[in-house]
Amino acid sequence: MLIQWIQTFLLRNYSDIIQGLVFALITIILFFKKASRKTQVIKFILSFFVAFQTAEFISYILYQQLTSLFSLTGTLYDFLVATVCLLLPIFLMIDLYRKVIGIQGPVGTFIYTLFFNTNCLAMLIAMTTMQRMLITVVLSLLLVFFFREEIQYIVEEKSMLRMDRRFQWTAMTFMILIGAEAELPRIVINGGVDDVTNQLAYAVAIVGSLLVLMFIIFMKFNFFAIMKYENYIRNHDDDRITNAKSLAYLLENGAIMVKNASVKHQELAIFYSNIDHFRDINILHGYDAGNNILKKTADYMIAEFPEGIIGRTSGTHFTGIVPLAGAMQKFASISRKIEELSIDESLILQIGVCPLKYLETMDHHQVDYNNLAPIVDLAATALRYTSPKSPVKFYDEAMRKNEEIRLHVLAHIDQAVKENWLQNYYQPLVDIKQHKIVSYEALSRWIDPVYGFLTPDQFIIPLENARMIYKVDLQVLHHYGQFLSKMHNLHQEALPISFNISRTDLESGIDIYTEIQQIINTYHIPKSLIHVEITETAINGDSKLMKQALQQFHAMGLEVWMDDFGSGYSSLNVLKDYHFDVIKIDMEFMRKFDDRSKTIVRSICEMAQSLHIRTVAEGVETKEHYDFLKEVGCTYAQGYLFSKPVPENVILNNQLEIK
Ligand code: C2E
Ligand code: MG
Ligand code: MG
């Protein structure tokens, strides 16, 4: 009984079944050639079930139900209902088909429309079911062959076509026209092909054929134009040195990747990287050597992330949109290979990564250039947190918070000055021979009404980068001026301070010398009470500027102290060329405190002594440090052994004493 039923079913529907099988086969060949056997079988079955014949079956039922529900008659009504009944299930099937092949956008629609259109055409011109089947199958295969390059192009390349809605809608419009033209359900229900005998039917068939022809020509030219345009863009857009993409290309095509990844439930991330220590290679070994390293870097990245998009934004900055899974191992492998390319100093690839969960929109259909661009910025933010020791950093909540604080600081610096959010803390410097506090270093603290106590890292570095740190530095002097008056009123003797200025104070276009002089005048601060600290690394910049600073401050009658000596790369020659009054030895030497550091500290102190320069050791935390400094003849010691930086009240109340 069942076998007989199956036999009659197959005999009656063999045309549809064969068409469905061909459709499923073509789908496998186009999209799943490299997939596993199991996937191929599953996709084959699924494609078979979303093929045209299922839509046709649903539309048949729909049409029957609708016409029996409302017993309206009339050709126009019949025509409209038939067309709607035909197209609704088709749209549903196209959507399912796109899910089956896992590619959003027009490629699925296009393949589907090829089969649909030939099917409609076959309906119009075929005389028998056999003819209809043959025409559909042969024409579909011919069309797939005719469009093979175009289909491959959208499948493989990250083409704009993959997300272009207009392209999709054009294909759909043709389909609606051709579908309406075929008036399929009515023909099927009324006995189908036998009706196509009169003049009208021939005319309909001819119009249908012309529409299909127009569809083919239109699509061919449309593809041609877009492919040509994209090739042009690609040739002019790709980086000549490395073949990496431009940022614009990455963002536009990244949006397509996001859509496809969402179908596959794949997580993506954007990375932003820099090759540290690369700078000197161009100068020392020539641009070819430098370019070679850049080219290889891009090659390694492309090889590790074949399904991603790798771009180069500038110089040594590479960025990319890549699958998150397994990314860490791939980064490690790329870094290892880049390190092997080192010539002198070892090249370190530092990478900031931002997973796309930080996208503003969670709706993947809305992802575009504009909301991907901020993710590149977040990856660049994460890059700022990398160091040679931890070269890969993921963007996280803490960074978001820091970034929020950074922007808050930049937006509120003037208010902070006006409303005294900035305060001076003082850390004593102990004269080692006399074992007593002889001066303080004034250090800024930002006590924020919203964020509370900010560390210098949180406000000094952002303000330095924005060249606004002079506002803080001048404020320190203002507060010291006020502090002196308070001391005076309490009949206490005030000790001198050293205050920090940044290199950007010398560069930011304000006249820092006059500004300082004005504060000195306002509060009548004796010149002997204030010393200027400038970090050693400031010398790495414009040496003329530094020499001028020394000269000017000396002319104003102020001592100039070199801060963090030994933290930069300058040698002891600095002492010969720049006339500092005091050098502050970087606290790293105390932190390490091995034989090597001790030897260096000893020779700095000896050298300084013979040049009549006084020395301060920073970061003195233990008795052992202190005894050593005494032995090597260091002048002053500063560090937690005596006191952390304290608010001015502690000094005003005479509470600061050393053991
Ligand atoms: P710096 O000028 O080298 O200041 C010394 C830093 O070392 C201070 O950190 C101080 O608290 C810390 N320190 C002192 N003794 C010890 C110790 O024994 N152990 C350890 N681990 N640390 C110790 P702070 O206050 O966090 O300041 C950090 C940096 O921020 C300063 O380094 C200075 O470069 C900058 N800075 C602070 N205030 C100002 C300012 O008003 N203007 C400018 N331009 N920079 C400032
Ligand atoms: Mg300092
Ligand atoms: Mg220092």
Side-chain angles (χ1 to χ4, degrees):
M1 174 80 172
L2 183 70
I3 295 172
Q4 208 178 0
W5 184 84
I6 292 176
Q7 263 180 359
T8 22
F9 180 83
L10 285 180
L11 268 176
R12 212 184 281 161
N13 298 294
Y14 75 94
S15 155
D16 288 340
I17 292 168
I18 291 178
Q19 285 175 51
L21 291 176
V22 172
F23 178 74
L25 191 68
I26 294 281
T27 302
I28 300 303
I29 294 172
L30 287 178
F31 303 111
F32 301 103
K33 232 188 301 181
K34 291 181 196 144
S36 68
R37 206 20 67 87
K38 191 174 141 209
T39 319
Q40 284 182 338
V41 171
I42 294 171
K43 297 290 180 184
F44 185 89
I45 296 170
L46 290 176
S47 319
F48 176 78
F49 280 110
V50 297
F52 177 67
Q53 79 282 349
T54 311
E56 192 185 9
F57 180 68
I58 300 174
S59 59
Y60 173 75
I61 307 241
L62 211 65
Y63 180 79
Q64 266 193 336
Q65 292 299 316
L66 277 181
T67 42
S68 67
L69 211 63
F70 314 97
S71 48
L72 285 168
T73 45
T75 322
L76 184 63
Y77 166 75
D78 198 16
F79 170 78
L80 284 177
V81 173
T83 310
V84 170
C85 288
L86 172 67
L87 293 172
L88 278 184
I90 290 280
F91 288 145
L92 175 74
M93 288 301 144
I94 289 184
D95 202 45
L96 290 178
Y97 183 58
R98 283 205 300 244
K99 291 205 165 66
V100 171
I101 61 174
I103 301 176
Q104 284 295 312
V107 66
T109 317
F110 181 65
I111 303 287
Y112 211 93
T113 44
L114 282 186
F115 278 80
F116 175 84
N117 292 340
T118 49
N119 216 315
C120 287
L121 190 65
M123 291 284 175
L124 295 169
I125 58 177
M127 296 294 167
T128 63
T129 314
M130 173 64 98
Q131 275 183 12
R132 198 188 114 192
M133 188 270 290
L134 280 177
I135 291 174
T136 310
V137 169
V138 172
L139 260 183
S140 308
L141 290 177
L142 274 178
L143 282 186
V144 169
F145 183 74
F146 186 59
F147 281 105
R148 67 192 181 286
E149 275 177 19
E150 287 81 354
I151 294 169
Q152 278 307 317
Y153 182 78
I154 340 184
V155 173
E156 279 167 14
E157 303 264 339
K158 284 133 199 142
S159 161
M160 271 160 46
L161 274 174
R162 276 195 169 204
M163 66 166 182
D164 191 47
R165 294 213 164 169
R166 273 156 299 183
F167 184 81
Q168 175 138 333
W169 280 112
T170 318
M172 292 275 209
T173 311
F174 266 109
M175 206 177 76
I176 293 170
L177 285 175
I178 295 166
E181 228 274 340
E183 247 181 308
L184 188 63
R186 193 164 63 86
I187 293 170
V188 170
I189 290 157
N190 292 347
V193 290
D194 296 343
D195 274 10
V196 192
T197 46
N198 55 32
Q199 290 286 325
L200 186 68
Y202 279 126
V204 167
I206 290 169
V207 173
S209 313
L210 282 177
L211 271 175
V212 173
L213 197 67
M214 267 171 65
F215 164 78
I216 294 167
I217 295 170
F218 183 84
M219 283 296 158
K220 195 77 186 173
F221 277 114
N222 210 340
F223 269 121
F224 176 76
I226 290 175
M227 281 160 72
K228 194 147 182 145
Y229 169 73
E230 284 192 340
N231 277 332
Y232 175 84
I233 297 276
R234 208 159 289 143
N235 288 339
H236 287 77
D237 219 28
D238 283 8
D239 174 31
R240 299 252 159 149
I241 296 173
T242 63
N243 285 336
K245 303 292 177 195
S246 70
L247 186 60
Y249 179 94
L250 183 136
L251 292 177
E252 254 163 32
N253 290 276
I256 306 166
M257 256 183 91
V258 174
K259 280 173 203 160
N260 289 331
S262 79
V263 180
K264 295 184 214 152
H265 300 290
Q266 187 183 43
E267 253 191 279
L268 297 178
I270 287 185
F271 73 83
Y272 194 83
S273 65
N274 183 38
I275 311 172
D276 207 18
H277 299 157
F278 179 87
R279 214 176 53 175
D280 297 335
I281 289 188
N282 282 338
I283 301 163
L284 295 175
H285 302 279
Y287 279 82
D288 281 347
N291 288 351
N292 180 38
I293 289 172
L294 294 176
K295 167 93 180 71
K296 290 220 164 108
T297 302
D299 288 349
Y300 296 153
M301 287 179 174
I302 294 167
E304 286 289 350
F305 296 106
E307 65 287 67
I309 306 173
I310 305 297
R312 178 172 168 232
T313 49
S314 68
T316 51
H317 289 110
F318 287 89
T319 178
I321 176 161
V322 297
L324 189 57
M328 269 317 258
Q329 290 96 306
K330 294 181 176 188
F331 287 141
S333 145
I334 298 167
S335 302
R336 228 176 297 119
K337 289 184 198 151
I338 291 176
E339 211 180 329
E340 281 165 18
L341 300 176
S342 310
I343 303 179
D344 309 312
E345 250 185 299
S346 89
L347 295 173
I348 299 170
L349 183 71
Q350 298 186 340
I351 306 169
V353 190
C354 182
L356 289 200
K357 67 175 178 196
Y358 287 97
L359 267 174
E360 262 169 36
T361 167
M362 278 296 136
D363 179 358
H364 287 98
H365 291 283
Q366 283 183 12
V367 174
D368 60 12
Y369 187 104
N370 290 324
N371 43 38
L372 270 187
I375 302 293
V376 181
D377 285 342
L378 297 185
T381 302
L383 175 66
R384 277 198 254 135
Y385 287 81
T386 59
S387 63
K389 276 188 195 140
S390 91
V392 182
K393 283 274 178 198
F394 276 72
Y395 184 79
D396 61 16
E397 265 312 297
M399 285 181 202
R400 198 193 56 72
K401 183 90 191 169
N402 264 349
E403 199 54 15
E404 192 180 300
I405 291 175
R406 188 180 75 88
L407 295 174
H408 174 81
V409 162
L410 294 183
H412 292 88
I413 172 65
D414 289 331
Q415 195 178 357
V417 167
K418 216 179 287 159
E419 296 178 10
N420 276 338
W421 300 355
L422 286 167
Q423 288 187 16
N424 279 9
Y425 270 51
Y426 296 97
Q427 188 178 31
L429 267 71
V430 172
D431 182 297
I432 296 178
K433 267 196 195 135
Q434 303 176 49
H435 189 66
K436 75 173 213 205
I437 300 175
V438 287
S439 75
Y440 298 101
E441 175 171 7
L443 294 155
S444 282
R445 295 293 180 261
W446 177 307
I447 296 139
D448 194 273
V450 180
Y451 295 101
F453 199 93
L454 301 190
T455 62
D457 276 355
Q458 286 175 304
F459 68 96
I460 286 173
I461 295 165
L463 288 170
E464 267 179 346
N465 290 338
R467 294 170 179 254
M468 290 201 286
I469 191 71
Y470 70 89
K471 297 186 182 185
V472 174
D473 296 343
L474 295 176
Q475 190 66 1
V476 170
L477 266 194
H478 271 292
H479 284 309
Y480 181 62
Q482 289 158 3
F483 172 77
L484 283 182
S485 324
K486 289 179 203 163
M487 291 290 272
H488 183 77
N489 292 342
L490 292 168
H491 305 289
Q492 287 189 35
E493 195 207 343
L495 291 178
I497 56 153
S498 55
F499 70 103
N500 297 278
I501 67 162
S502 294
R503 195 174 69 132
T504 53
D505 292 357
L506 311 174
E507 302 166 335
S508 40
I510 57 138
D511 183 354
I512 189 81
Y513 313 105
T514 311
E515 298 278 343
I516 291 176
Q517 188 61 53
Q518 270 170 3
I519 300 172
I520 292 175
N521 296 345
T522 310
Y523 297 98
H524 308 290
I525 307 174
K527 302 268 172 77
S528 59
L529 288 191
I530 48 176
H531 318 307
V532 185
E533 284 192 22
I534 307 180
T535 56
E536 185 204 21
T537 42
I539 300 176
N540 295 347
D542 187 345
S543 62
K544 237 170 60 201
L545 211 63
M546 195 63 161
K547 283 197 174 136
Q548 187 200 355
L550 273 161
Q551 212 177 21
Q552 290 258 19
F553 285 128
H554 280 154
M556 284 165 69
L558 304 180
E559 280 191 2
V560 188
W561 296 14
M562 177 194 272
D563 203 356
D564 302 339
F565 182 78
S567 60
Y569 286 108
S570 38
S571 65
L572 293 178
N573 275 341
V574 173
L575 301 181
K576 173 170 69 69
D577 297 336
Y578 300 86
H579 295 265
F580 285 98
D581 302 280
V582 172
I583 55 175
K584 300 186 73 174
I585 303 165
D586 193 55
M587 67 178 90
E588 197 53 37
F589 293 103
M590 291 296 124
R591 197 171 293 159
K592 267 204 185 137
F593 209 57
D594 52 11
D595 286 346
R596 217 176 134 80
S597 328
K598 283 189 203 165
T599 312
I600 295 172
V601 172
R602 190 189 299 273
S603 45
I604 293 173
C605 289
E606 278 167 10
M607 168 90 91
Q609 250 168 6
S610 56
L611 292 168
H612 306 291
I613 299 172
R614 286 165 287 147
T615 41
V616 181
E618 294 184 276
V620 179
E621 292 188 355
T622 62
K623 182 86 176 39
E624 202 190 345
H625 288 161
Y626 192 50
D627 290 341
F628 167 76
L629 293 167
K630 212 184 262 177
E631 182 205 319
V632 299
C634 181
T635 329
Y636 311 110
Q638 174 184 358
Y640 294 168
L641 176 64
F642 313 109
S643 169
K644 290 196 167 179
V646 293
E648 66 170 28
N649 280 347
V650 177
I651 300 171
L652 285 172
N653 297 335
N654 247 331
Q655 287 164 346
L656 195 63
E657 273 176 18
I658 59 163
K659 286 171 256 155

